[in-house]
Amino acid sequence: MDKRAINKICKLLRLAQSDNPHEAANAMRHAKAMMKKHGISEDDIQLSEVKETETTTSSQNTPAHWMRVLASTVADAFGCRYFFRETWGTNSVVFIGVHPHNEVAAYTFTHTAPSGNKSPLGIP
């Protein structure tokens, strides 16, 4: 699939939300023509916005229960999915969602999780 075409179509679709009706109609017409020319569906456009953002945790072991609860809560709040990844003894949380929700979820997790591996509020 042509990434440049998808990016151009995304820009046209954003322009199609313009307050200027002539500009919006023209942008939508061009977007639909490009989608037809390149064989790109609306689903392809939506999926192109799904990204992943990884943030390192302070845990060297299996993530504690409170860390899994926090990651789950943050992911739910921002409409994302998440999973933990272990790479060479370093744990991280990966948030997957529509951009920029994934980045906001990772930022929130990073700034909400306490430093070290201590549980906040006595959660086991």
Side-chain angles (χ1 to χ4, degrees):
M1 196 158 315
D2 187 2
K3 288 269 189 200
R4 289 180 57 194
I6 289 176
N7 289 339
K8 177 72 174 174
I9 292 167
C10 286
K11 288 178 186 176
L12 286 168
L13 290 173
R14 284 191 292 273
L15 188 59
Q17 297 174 0
S18 170
D19 290 336
N20 181 331
H22 177 70
E23 183 179 57
N26 196 28
M28 183 59 81
R29 187 173 57 255
H30 284 296
K32 288 194 181 268
M34 282 190 72
M35 288 170 71
K36 186 174 182 180
K37 176 182 176 184
H38 294 280
I40 296 171
S41 70
E42 288 182 27
D43 289 340
D44 295 329
I45 299 297
Q46 290 177 345
L47 287 174
S48 73
E49 297 293 316
V50 174
K51 309 284 185 214
E52 75 174 43
T53 303
E54 186 170 353
T55 182
T56 305
T57 68
S58 57
S59 174
Q60 293 292 334
N61 305 324
T62 302
H65 175 71
W66 67 264
M67 195 176 289
R68 293 190 307 271
V69 170
L70 179 61
S72 175
T73 303
V74 169
D76 287 346
F78 294 101
C80 296
R81 299 284 185 147
Y82 77 98
F83 64 90
F84 285 91
R85 177 183 289 161
E86 183 180 352
T87 310
W88 300 98
T90 302
N91 285 315
S92 59
V93 181
V94 180
F95 291 95
I96 302 169
V98 176
H99 181 76
H101 296 254
N102 58 315
E103 291 182 359
V104 176
Y107 177 87
T108 302
F109 179 85
T110 300
H111 289 83
T112 306
S115 58
N117 201 18
K118 290 201 90 170
S119 168
L121 304 173
I123 299 171

